[in-house]
Amino acid sequence: MKRQLAILALILAGGTGLALASGDHDRAREALQAGQILPLRQVLDAVEREHPGQVMEVELEREHGAWVYEIKLLRSDGSLLKLELDAHSGAVLRSREKEKH
């Protein structure tokens, strides 16, 4: 079963705001310090280069023993792109696009 860390990042005035549930911030920091995950800024920079759009939401989850970043992007054509990335390597594991209706 997925264990969600409830890391939500919203782009506000060009910056990234981060809202964390109690305790989640410490777990994410420990994973970063242990080299288990890449810094969020590094991951977002790579995503923005490869998949243009506005980041709407970011979650850090633990799935089957591995850390995964889930990133939702609003693309210029109005479609939504959901990416799941290996939080350690930054590799795209899955992508799903939802077309504008």
Side-chain angles (χ1 to χ4, degrees):
M1 183 174 169
K2 260 193 220 185
R3 211 157 99 187
Q4 187 173 36
L5 280 185
I7 293 181
L8 174 65
L10 299 174
I11 301 303
L12 300 170
T16 301
L18 205 54
L20 301 170
S22 178
D24 290 346
H25 181 73
D26 291 333
R27 290 186 64 217
R29 183 179 314 149
E30 288 169 7
L32 178 63
Q33 290 173 343
Q36 296 173 344
I37 63 172
L38 294 171
L40 180 58
R41 181 73 265 158
Q42 183 178 340
V43 171
L44 291 177
D45 287 345
V47 166
E48 290 168 358
R49 280 192 305 273
E50 298 294 321
H51 305 280
Q54 182 167 352
V55 176
M56 302 303 292
E57 183 178 334
V58 176
E59 295 176 4
L60 178 63
E61 299 181 343
R62 190 89 167 148
E63 292 183 9
H64 309 290
W67 290 103
V68 175
Y69 279 117
E70 289 188 3
I71 301 174
K72 292 181 185 174
L73 298 164
L74 178 61
R75 301 180 75 154
S76 62
D77 65 0
S79 64
L80 287 173
L81 177 64
K82 180 179 178 183
L83 299 170
E84 292 183 22
L85 296 100
D86 179 301
H88 178 73
S89 69
V92 176
L93 302 171
R94 291 181 238 13
S95 67
R96 186 174 58 207
E97 188 167 359
K98 189 173 184 180
E99 305 249 341
K100 181 179 165 186
H101 288 90

